[in-house]
Amino acid sequence: MRDVLTTSMARNIFYGGSLFFILIFVGLSVHSHRYIVTTSTDAATLTEGVEHGKNLWEIHGCVNCHTILGEGAYFAPELGNVMTRWGVEDDPEAAFETLKGWMDAMPTGIEGRRQMPNFGLNDEEYRALSDFLLWTNTIRNQDWPPNDAG
């Protein structure tokens, strides 16, 4: 082996190393995509109601105040396990009624209290949102949130 690193040797090391790490990156990307599609996502439970509820979650910007599975703002409670906290995780009708009642009962005009806006949702939208929250309640979340209170 030479004691001096020539320009061509440095170029070969650079290109070889770059190619090696690009191949690793592509391989890990393919593996992640395959894992998400085949293992991580339970596509069988993604109903139209769950999709509609997710769209409502995004349209109304719920993540600007709430967290879901640890993502979002910390102004309002974590909602990834809200159906378990309310004890309605096995009853979609009770989940709908509880969510609708809770959102409709939000007090207004109390000074110093965090206020959830009234989005004027109809029963179909409440049901879709409760379907979405029931679905998120079933996600294997690696023990998040760390306590039942969210």
Side-chain angles (χ1 to χ4, degrees):
M1 181 146 178
R2 293 185 183 179
D3 290 339
V4 178
L5 182 66
T6 64
T7 304
S8 64
M9 290 170 62
R11 183 179 56 238
N12 290 340
I13 290 170
F14 172 76
Y15 286 132
S18 296
L19 181 62
F20 174 74
F21 285 107
I22 287 171
L23 290 173
I24 287 179
F25 175 76
V26 169
L28 289 174
S29 296
V30 168
H31 172 71
S32 294
H33 176 73
R34 186 171 175 266
Y35 176 79
I36 289 169
V37 170
T38 61
T39 305
S40 178
T41 303
D42 186 6
T45 60
L46 288 176
T47 63
E48 286 184 29
V50 172
E51 290 179 26
H52 184 57
K54 173 75 161 84
N55 288 337
L56 288 169
W57 174 270
E58 292 171 349
I59 288 168
H60 293 295
C62 301
V63 75
N64 291 335
C65 297
H66 292 279
T67 56
I68 190 155
L69 304 175
E71 295 293 324
Y74 290 95
F75 182 74
E78 160 76 34
L79 295 181
N81 67 347
V82 70
M83 295 302 177
T84 299
R85 289 195 317 253
W86 287 346
V88 295
E89 68 272 13
D90 296 327
D91 188 357
E93 190 61 33
F96 159 72
E97 304 249 346
T98 304
L99 178 67
K100 183 178 188 311
W102 184 81
M103 287 180 73
D104 286 345
M106 290 305 298
T108 58
I110 298 174
E111 191 171 327
R113 175 161 167 53
R114 296 178 183 176
Q115 179 62 47
M116 181 167 167
N118 184 346
F119 295 110
L121 302 177
N122 60 37
D123 282 355
E124 176 193 348
E125 292 170 326
Y126 279 122
R127 190 167 305 281
L129 197 54
S130 70
D131 287 347
F132 172 64
L133 292 174
L134 282 167
W135 182 80
T136 59
N137 201 66
T138 64
I139 294 174
R140 197 179 104 222
N141 54 13
Q142 300 173 352
D143 298 326
W144 183 264
N147 57 44
D148 288 338

